[in-house]
Amino acid sequence: WLTAHAAGAVDALYSMGNINVFQALATGVRLVLEAFQQDTLEDVVSVYDREVDSMAYERDSTYWQEMRPIPLTAYEVKGYKVMDSISIAEDKKEAEEDEDDSGGSSSGKSGGSFQAMELLVGGSSYPIGKHWRFGYPSLLHDFHFNTVEGFHMTVSPYVRFQKNDITWQLQPELHYGFSREKFNGGLTLSTRWGEREERNSITIEAVSRVLQVNEDNPIHPFVNDFYSLLFERNYMKLLEKSFVNLRWERSFRDGLDLSIYGQFFRKNPLMNNTSQVFFGSERSYTPNDVPNAEIGTTAFDSYRGAVLGLDFSIEPWQRFRIRNGRKQRIDNVSPTFDLHFSTAIDELFGSELSYQHLEFGYRHRISFGVRGDLQLDIKAGTFLNTDNLPFPEFKHFPGNRTFLNISDAVGSFRLLDYYYYSTSESYLEAHANYQFRKFLLTQLTMARMFGLRENLFFSLLETPSSNHYFEVGYGLNYIFRVFRVEAVASFDEFKYRDFGIRVGIATDFESLFN
């Protein structure tokens, strides 16, 4: 049904023009999906089942002495206790994953009575019926500062209904900017259904939000709070977006994901409304529009847009293990290939935009055993038929101008300006990170015992105006198992441009808990 109707819908919608592009895209997606319809055990490398005898905890010591005439050693007793603890932890992790897959949240406390501190700090959720649950995130987590709104906060409680493998969630959102003196907000309705490996989801949003111009959020709100209020540096640039969005997502199997969405929106420019800072300085906040190498100024007028898009991700050589009847992926076996295609339709619902955006991505982590790991993240894309393309619709890149860099250590730049090289033309973005087990400092046994690793990394940006921009750097990773410190230099046209020291969260930090 999906492959027949999705391809037909795409062809029908765009028969007005660019038919060859859309037919090729629809045909390619259809062929890939058909190839993966059959789920076999060819990609399963191991099968493990653990079953506990129902009488295991009912037997007394006499029975076990007869079954095992040689007593367990002290080390065996200790080992079995550890194995029991691991089994309990794995069962708990699987239960949490099931809750997350059904739309649940692993943050905050679940159940119990209401605690005022949870409202401020951790958030929580509570059952309000057999299949119903009410929850809310931490208020402090959504309390921040920027130069457009001053201090601002968001309240977004939710109500969730879950029965069998179907979950519905309704989440209102209320946002207020104190210096701007304006409310934003809206409503999100989502549903998920199906088995974990064959999960479907539909999300409908009708919301007005203040967002970063780059909606991938290159600047973390906490970092912006710190730099704005202490150093009067407002790198975060914002706009107001009011939109209605409909998105359908489907996981056909682990390693194969498809998302199709349609969105109608209006974007409005914003200006600074506060000059507040904790410590006075000779500098002042910069305007909310910044220079761009391609078009000069990034200022824009309000406009409307209607966009249809498709995101496709596949790991063609993914391998799995089956544990207690549950299929689990083995990480870092297959590269991930991504495809993004979006088109803005002129005059649809008053849309003033007209363009197509096509992007291909490649991500892979290659292990060389004890010698180290190489991580790659490459994207290449282009814009077609850009009859009307305001600056917010440009391709923006994951830049950074702060000493604190807590963004993706593999897929982001360390010294790049956030919007100077944003483009409406073709581009290539590439990142490579090699982590050594033994390199310079880690030649010392004590350094390796403390878990330290050394990284060499390289990042490249090619756009019509970027002058072959690239960065090279060295990093010391897993400091106190959590942090990384990096020294990085940037170059234009192979000429030195800038140097900086960056501190952030350890590269591949989540692997410490796998």
Side-chain angles (χ1 to χ4, degrees):
W1 182 91
L2 170 72
T3 56
H5 290 74
V10 172
D11 291 343
L13 280 172
Y14 295 103
S15 58
M16 64 188 74
N18 300 302
I19 188 66
N20 292 331
V21 174
F22 287 97
Q23 282 183 336
L25 182 65
T27 301
V29 172
R30 180 170 63 246
L31 291 175
V32 172
L33 295 181
E34 289 174 350
F36 279 82
Q37 285 299 307
Q38 298 298 324
D39 188 10
T40 69
L41 294 179
E42 294 179 1
D43 52 5
V44 176
V45 299
S46 67
V47 179
Y48 171 82
D49 286 298
R50 172 173 56 88
E51 183 176 352
V52 179
D53 190 326
S54 60
M55 295 296 295
Y57 298 104
E58 304 296 331
R59 311 287 191 183
D60 58 18
S61 59
T62 303
Y63 171 84
W64 291 112
Q65 288 175 2
E66 293 176 356
M67 293 295 296
R68 185 180 56 239
I70 301 176
L72 294 176
T73 67
Y75 287 106
E76 287 176 321
V77 173
K78 183 178 179 181
Y80 282 124
K81 287 182 178 179
V82 172
M83 291 178 65
D84 288 343
S85 300
I86 292 174
S87 297
I88 294 172
E90 289 177 344
D91 291 341
K92 181 179 180 181
K93 181 179 179 181
E94 290 181 0
E96 291 175 348
E97 289 176 348
D98 287 337
E99 182 180 358
D100 291 341
D101 288 337
S102 65
S105 174
S106 59
S107 62
K109 174 185 173 184
S110 295
S113 59
F114 173 79
Q115 301 289 333
M117 188 57 66
E118 292 172 2
L119 180 62
L120 293 176
V121 181
S124 188
S125 64
Y126 305 92
I128 54 176
K130 184 177 181 180
H131 301 290
W132 294 86
R133 179 171 288 272
F134 169 79
Y136 51 85
S138 162
L139 292 181
L140 290 181
H141 181 270
D142 292 317
F143 181 78
H144 296 287
F145 175 88
N146 61 58
T147 55
V148 168
E149 301 178 287
F151 287 101
H152 58 91
M153 68 181 303
T154 303
V155 180
S156 54
Y158 63 85
V159 176
R160 181 183 303 134
F161 172 85
Q162 182 176 350
K163 186 176 182 181
N164 300 326
D165 60 350
I166 300 178
T167 301
W168 290 86
Q169 179 168 298
L170 182 67
Q171 186 164 23
E173 178 181 317
L174 184 62
H175 176 93
Y176 184 73
F178 290 91
S179 294
R180 191 169 172 235
E181 298 181 346
K182 183 176 180 179
F183 284 99
N184 291 88
L187 196 64
T188 299
L189 175 64
S190 61
T191 180
R192 296 186 182 189
W193 71 94
E195 298 295 331
R196 186 184 179 202
E197 291 79 13
E198 300 289 333
R199 181 76 68 183
N200 287 270
S201 69
I202 294 178
T203 302
I204 303 173
E205 297 177 281
V207 187
S208 174
R209 292 185 181 131
V210 175
L211 302 173
Q212 295 189 45
V213 174
N214 180 355
E215 294 187 27
D216 290 331
N217 300 319
I219 311 174
H220 193 282
F222 285 111
V223 174
N224 184 71
D225 298 343
F226 179 80
Y227 262 79
S228 296
L229 293 171
L230 297 184
F231 303 117
E232 210 165 356
R233 298 281 193 181
N234 59 321
Y235 295 115
M236 182 182 285
K237 303 305 174 184
L238 303 160
L239 53 75
E240 182 181 58
K241 180 179 180 181
S242 302
F243 61 95
V244 176
N245 182 56
L246 173 63
R247 178 182 290 268
W248 171 74
E249 296 176 293
R250 171 71 187 270
S251 296
F252 288 88
R253 55 182 293 168
D254 285 344
L256 180 60
D257 300 296
L258 176 66
S259 175
I260 299 175
Y261 64 91
Q263 185 177 112
F264 170 70
F265 60 84
R266 180 183 179 89
K267 291 186 178 180
N268 299 315
L270 298 175
M271 60 170 44
N272 292 338
N273 288 292
T274 181
S275 58
Q276 183 173 359
V277 64
F278 286 165
F279 302 102
S281 66
E282 296 181 357
R283 68 174 66 96
S284 59
Y285 287 128
T286 58
N288 201 42
D289 51 270
V290 291
N292 175 260
E294 194 169 295
I295 60 173
T297 178
T298 60
F300 67 96
D301 296 324
S302 298
Y303 64 91
R304 295 181 179 182
V307 175
L308 296 178
L310 176 148
D311 292 300
F312 180 74
S313 176
I314 183 172
E315 297 176 82
W317 302 291
Q318 183 60 55
R319 294 294 180 264
F320 306 88
R321 64 171 60 93
I322 294 179
R323 182 180 179 86
N324 296 331
R326 186 169 188 169
K327 198 172 183 180
Q328 299 176 339
R329 56 178 290 141
I330 302 175
D331 293 333
N332 308 321
V333 172
S334 171
T336 302
F337 297 94
D338 299 311
L339 169 67
H340 167 81
F341 182 79
S342 60
T343 181
I345 306 175
D346 190 23
E347 298 183 357
L348 179 64
F349 301 121
S351 172
E352 304 168 60
L353 304 182
S354 178
Y355 68 86
Q356 286 84 45
H357 179 207
L358 181 65
E359 180 181 276
F360 296 95
Y362 168 84
R363 292 173 285 131
H364 197 196
R365 176 177 176 177
I366 306 170
S367 177
F368 296 96
V370 297
R371 294 180 179 87
D373 297 312
L374 173 64
Q375 293 174 272
L376 301 171
D377 191 334
I378 303 171
K379 298 182 181 71
T382 189
F383 286 87
L384 306 171
N385 305 315
T386 54
D387 296 333
N388 190 358
L389 190 66
F391 177 74
E393 307 306 312
F394 280 30
K395 171 63 180 180
H396 307 293
F397 303 101
N400 178 66
R401 298 299 299 165
T402 67
F403 176 73
L404 298 172
N405 181 20
I406 59 177
S407 57
D408 180 13
V410 178
S412 63
F413 296 90
R414 274 71 169 177
L415 301 174
L416 182 71
D417 188 271
Y418 297 100
Y419 298 106
Y420 189 72
Y421 290 131
S422 298
T423 184
S424 62
E425 301 183 43
S426 299
Y427 58 88
L428 171 66
E429 176 189 349
H431 306 273
N433 182 92
Y434 191 93
Q435 181 165 278
F436 296 86
R437 181 177 179 269
K438 294 174 66 176
F439 184 51
L440 298 176
L441 182 62
T442 47
Q443 292 287 343
L444 300 175
T445 302
M446 187 61 69
R448 296 197 303 275
M449 290 181 63
F450 278 107
L452 298 180
R453 295 291 184 269
E454 293 171 284
N455 292 19
L456 290 181
F457 54 87
F458 173 83
S459 296
L460 169 71
L461 179 61
E462 290 286 350
T463 71
S465 58
S466 66
N467 300 321
H468 310 298
Y469 177 90
F470 68 94
E471 299 176 353
V472 293
Y474 164 86
L476 192 60
N477 204 27
Y478 298 145
I479 300 174
F480 302 115
R481 308 296 290 176
V482 175
F483 303 104
R484 74 178 192 270
V485 176
E486 300 170 331
V488 56
S490 63
F491 299 84
D492 274 333
E493 293 282 4
F494 299 98
K495 296 180 181 179
Y496 170 79
R497 172 179 172 176
D498 198 5
F499 175 82
I501 301 294
R502 297 291 181 258
V503 175
I505 302 299
T507 305
D508 201 25
F509 175 70
E510 65 278 2
S511 68
L512 295 176
F513 305 97
N514 291 340

